Structure formats: C-alpha cells, structure tokens
Amino acid sequence: MAGKKISIKLSSGCEMPLIGLGTYARKADPAQFREAVEWGIDAGYRHIDTASSYKNEEEVGEGIANKIKQGIVKREDLFITTKLWNDCHGEKDVIPALKESLKRLKLDYVDLYLIHWPVSVNNKGEDMKIDFLETWRGMEAAVKEGLVRSIGISNFNELQLTRLLKSAINKPVVNQIEINPTLTQHKLVEFCKKHSIVPVAYTPLGLISEARPEFNGKDIIKTDPKLGEIADKYKKTRAQIALRYLIQRGIAVVPKSFTKSRIEENLNIFDFELNKQEMSVVDSYNIDHRCVPGTIFAQHTNYPF
Ligand SMILES: NC(=O)c1ccc[n+]([C@@H]2O[C@H](COP(=O)([O-])OP(=O)(O)OC[C@H]3O[C@@H](n4cnc5c(N)ncnc54)[C@H](OP(=O)(O)O)[C@@H]3O)[C@@H](O)[C@H]2O)c1
C-alpha cells in the first residue's frame, strides 16, 4: 500500500506527514518496537516518533532498516523524529546526544529533533537549571552540521515559546504536546499556529488511567455513547473520531499501538469529515485532564504545567 501522503509543510520547508506512529511503551518486549514499526510502514505510515528516553531507538532503527532493505520504502520517503533527553541540555551536549541517537537508529540524519522537555536534569534527576535558550543553540548547530532537517520542542508552554521565538535563529517547527478530547488545549494550539509552529498531539487518544478513579466514566474512547453514535455514522471507531477531530483542527497526531489491526485503524482517518456540530461534541469532552503531567519535574526550573 502506498504511504499516506497527507502532510503539512513546516516552516523549515520540509513536509511532515500529519499522522505518525508513536512508539513509547513503559513495558514492552524489545521485539514489539521493531514489529510495530514494520507493521506501521507496511500499513502506510511514513512518520515515526521515537525518543532517546524511550530506549527503543535500536529496535525502531531495525524496523526501518528492514523495510528499506525489502524495498518497501526509501529513506527519503520517511519522516523520523527523535528527542533530546533532559540530561543533555548543555549546548555542547546536544550534538553528541544526537549522534548517539543516530547510531542507534542506524541513520545519518533525522527529519526532526525535539527538545523533549524544557527542564534539565543530571543523571541523578537533579535540577540542572540549564536555560533552554542555551540548549536551542546546540539544536541549531545540529542543523548546520546536517544531522537533522528540522528542529522543534515538546512540552513548552506559551511563555517559554515566546522567549524561545525571540532569540531563535532557526524557529521551532513544531511543539509536541498532549492534546486529545479531554485536553483540547485551544489556547496553546492557536498560539502555535499564529507563530507557524505546527502543534503535534501526543497521547492523542487520551486514555485515562484506571489508577485515577476520580475520572471514572470520563474515558470517552472506551465507552462514550454520543461518540459511539458519531463513530457508527461514519463506520469508524471512537479512536478514529478522536484522531480525525485533531487532524481537522490542523493538529498532527502520533498515536501509538503495538496491535497490528489498531495500527492500521488509526491511519484510516482520511476518507471522512466531521461536521461542525460533531466537532463541538468532541470539544465538549474537555476536562483539562493531563495523562502526562510530568509531575517528577514539578519542582524543577521551567516545569511547563
Ligand atoms: N513528547 C512527549 O513528552 C510525549 C509524551 C507521551 C507520548 N509521546 C509520544 O506520543 C505517542 C502516543 O502517545 P501515548 O502512547 O501516550 O498514547 P496514545 O497513542 O493516545 O494511546 C496509546 C494506547 O492506546 C491504545 N490504542 C491505540 N490505538 C487504539 C485504538 N484504535 N483503539 C483503542 N485503543 C487504542 C494502545 O494500545 P495497544 O498498543 O495495545 O494497541 C495504547 O494503550 C507515544 O507513543 C510517543 O511516541 C510523547
């Protein structure tokens, strides 16, 4: 099957497919990462999202290499994103960290490199208080060296973005943040768009953890009847409606699945359109609930939430 071409132009001039395959899992058999990437590429994903902190770049790289070897895709058909972890925020630490990621991925460049969080830590998790403007200079140097096509950030709030935009030579092309029907983030999304920064939704399904009983019944992807009616109308699933809702707001999405049928399902969202009223139904689920609150960084300088 041909790859999904539906893409958006970044301010760097590069094209990014609107849907990417997320690859984070707290617990997984390493082979699952490779397998998911292979299934994803076979299904038509051309955008893959990983990070050095996911400890899966080796396997993600194997999956990519296998599909290139089999002649299913060429490197230039793919859009690969990885991320700089918080313990490499010194200006001089960025390129070495990126080179390690490239080695694990078996690539000579990535399409997009992101500062994973605006906070910096050392290897004991202590606050290093490194200014992300310094980190950004390292990111810009990586572009100059040809190791990365575009650079961006993740988990930055509006104030942090404003500061970065003032001093950046290469503007951040995306801000990867949590967005889903229960965390709609309209204000930050509009701010990003106004500054030609593409919002990328992580945790786009927003599945609420069962460990949070106070949110019982709020997990719309699993059970919500109104969302179910919209899904039935288009012969889609609730998850596809959630992803479609984001795409229609001009937001790129990186859903993760290690289930072959869901990997395929999540990509199949480009043959229908939600009307205005259906978009407002999905909007109405917002409860500003964060699946990823980053609480371990809550006491750190530049904690964004
Ligand atoms: N920048 C950041 O700080 C940050 C933070 C979090 C995540 N991310 C990125 O964003 C990606 C996605 O976020 P996420 O993994 O937290 O959450 P997600 O993609 O919203 O949800 C993943 C979960 O949903 C299930 N699922 C997937 N498709 C489904 C479908 N069609 N129907 C029902 N359930 C479905 C998956 O199960 P199965 O795997 O069992 O199918 C998995 O349990 C990550 O993998 C990572 O690449 C970035």
Side-chain angles (χ1 to χ4, degrees):
M1 184 190 164
K4 281 284 167 202
K5 288 279 178 230
I6 298 160
S7 60
I8 187 162
K9 204 179 196 96
L10 303 175
S11 65
S12 58
C14 300
E15 290 275 335
M16 180 180 78
L18 275 172
I19 181 159
L21 181 70
T23 63
Y24 174 72
R26 196 176 303 159
K27 257 198 196 155
D29 173 349
Q32 283 182 287
F33 296 116
R34 178 188 46 74
E35 201 170 47
V37 168
E38 292 181 354
W39 286 336
I41 293 175
D42 283 341
Y45 287 81
R46 295 296 176 258
H47 170 178
I48 294 163
D49 183 78
T50 181
S52 63
S53 69
Y54 300 170
K55 307 273 181 240
N56 65 7
E57 289 173 312
E58 287 271 358
E59 293 81 9
V60 167
E62 271 168 35
I64 294 169
N66 289 345
K67 288 296 143 189
I68 293 176
K69 220 185 310 163
Q70 291 167 16
I72 309 292
V73 279
K74 299 195 207 63
R75 169 65 185 94
E76 58 269 29
D77 300 330
L78 295 172
F79 187 98
I80 310 297
T81 302
T82 193
K83 312 185 191 85
L84 175 79
W85 189 239
N86 308 343
D87 59 356
C88 297
H89 273 211
E91 183 177 350
K92 295 278 172 275
D93 296 329
V94 176
I95 287 182
L98 173 55
K99 284 184 172 166
E100 287 298 315
S101 284
L102 290 173
K103 198 156 78 186
R104 289 189 289 267
L105 285 162
K106 293 165 270 298
L107 298 175
D108 48 19
Y109 70 92
V110 281
D111 297 274
L112 179 61
Y113 199 40
L114 304 180
I115 299 183
H116 206 147
W117 288 86
V119 302
S120 64
V121 300
N122 62 13
N123 56 14
K124 290 187 206 128
E126 294 159 340
D127 188 358
M128 293 302 284
K129 305 185 197 311
I130 298 173
D131 191 339
F132 52 75
L133 297 185
E134 171 184 338
T135 317
W136 194 252
R137 289 195 291 275
M139 300 288 280
E140 291 174 328
V143 177
K144 260 199 193 138
E145 273 209 26
L147 300 170
V148 53
R149 298 273 153 95
S150 305
I151 48 177
I153 67 265
S154 177
N155 295 307
F156 272 50
N157 65 28
E158 193 174 316
L159 276 175
Q160 293 167 334
L161 270 175
T162 305
R163 233 185 118 230
L164 178 59
L165 284 167
K166 272 195 194 131
S167 78
I169 298 165
N170 297 58
K171 303 294 174 201
V173 299
V174 311
N175 187 17
Q176 187 180 114
I177 51 178
E178 180 177 343
I179 321 173
N180 51 52
T182 41
L183 183 68
T184 50
Q185 298 255 41
H186 279 277
K187 194 164 172 280
L188 187 51
V189 164
E190 290 322 308
F191 180 85
C192 288
K193 287 190 186 170
K194 193 170 129 204
H195 294 278
S196 304
I197 299 168
V198 175
V200 178
Y202 76 65
T203 317
L205 301 176
L207 289 163
I208 290 167
S209 161
E210 277 150 24
R212 304 280 304 273
E214 69 273 34
F215 290 105
N216 263 351
K218 302 283 184 192
D219 209 337
I220 61 149
I221 301 297
K222 287 189 186 145
T223 55
D224 189 78
K226 240 192 309 174
L227 193 66
E229 275 170 35
I230 301 175
D232 289 346
K233 173 177 163 192
Y234 295 104
K235 298 195 170 43
K236 298 285 173 188
T237 63
R238 294 186 186 87
Q240 286 170 315
I241 302 298
L243 296 173
R244 178 72 209 177
Y245 154 83
L246 293 167
I247 296 278
Q248 278 186 220
R249 284 181 53 200
I251 298 167
V253 294
V254 288
K256 169 264 175 185
S257 177
F258 288 174
T259 312
K260 192 165 185 275
S261 59
R262 286 172 174 172
I263 288 176
E264 290 163 0
E265 173 186 322
N266 293 343
L267 193 60
N268 190 10
I269 52 169
F270 294 98
D271 58 353
F272 72 108
E273 188 157 351
L274 299 172
N275 64 34
K276 234 174 143 187
Q277 191 253 333
E278 291 158 349
M279 288 294 285
S280 4
V281 169
V282 185
D283 250 338
S284 72
Y285 296 116
N286 184 47
I287 47 171
D288 291 331
H289 166 273
R290 274 183 203 281
C291 294
V292 186
T295 18
I296 49 164
F297 307 127
Q299 304 310 319
H300 286 50
T301 313
N302 284 324
Y303 175 68
F305 310 138

